[in-house]
Amino acid sequence: MNSQCDNCKLTFEVMLQEKNHGKGVRESFFTCTHCQTKFFVFIADDYIRQHQNKLKKIYKKGTVNHIDEFNREIDDIKRKIETRMTELRGKYSDSPPTPENIN
């Protein structure tokens, strides 16, 4: 997949990279091959992976009797994941979180 760099505006092929920070923390990113600008993709630890598995199980059930309860549960888990991901990114990533690139 190709992408245009926000920094140098040149097109390059995205090659996803992963950095292991220890303690189960893994960061995914890619780097512009022209100017070496790093683009954050994702960071996760065991806590995030557990909550992602909870989401998968909820979605897999497929049947919903109480949609409001279902939506509250999904929103709560997503909020926990986003909060933890922001914490990890601030602690481990070279590219700290900003409001426009968290979502």
Side-chain angles (χ1 to χ4, degrees):
M1 176 174 86
N2 287 333
S3 183
Q4 183 180 25
C5 179
D6 294 338
N7 185 46
C8 71
K9 307 299 183 208
L10 296 174
T11 301
F12 65 97
E13 185 175 347
V14 172
M15 302 207 25
L16 194 60
Q17 299 170 312
E18 193 171 275
K19 181 176 181 180
N20 188 343
H21 292 280
K23 299 181 183 176
V25 178
R26 290 191 306 255
E27 177 185 7
S28 296
F29 62 94
F30 58 92
T31 306
C32 173
T33 56
H34 303 286
C35 70
Q36 305 308 309
T37 297
K38 179 180 173 182
F39 295 92
F40 172 83
V41 177
F42 189 82
I43 192 164
D45 64 357
D46 291 336
Y47 177 88
I48 290 173
R49 285 186 282 278
Q50 287 172 356
H51 281 76
Q52 288 172 328
N53 286 333
K54 285 182 186 179
L55 282 177
K56 287 178 189 176
K57 288 177 185 176
I58 292 169
Y59 285 130
K60 205 178 254 190
K61 284 181 187 176
T63 58
V64 178
N65 294 329
H66 305 286
I67 192 71
D68 291 337
E69 183 180 324
F70 175 82
N71 286 335
R72 271 193 301 277
E73 189 174 0
I74 294 294
D75 290 344
D76 181 54
I77 294 171
K78 285 182 177 181
R79 193 171 21 263
K80 288 177 181 178
I81 290 171
E82 288 174 14
T83 299
R84 181 64 178 157
M85 194 178 298
T86 301
E87 291 170 3
L88 289 174
R89 188 164 176 203
K91 186 174 181 178
Y92 292 102
S93 180
D94 295 337
S95 50
T98 58
E100 65 273 5
N101 64 12
I102 289 175
N103 298 325

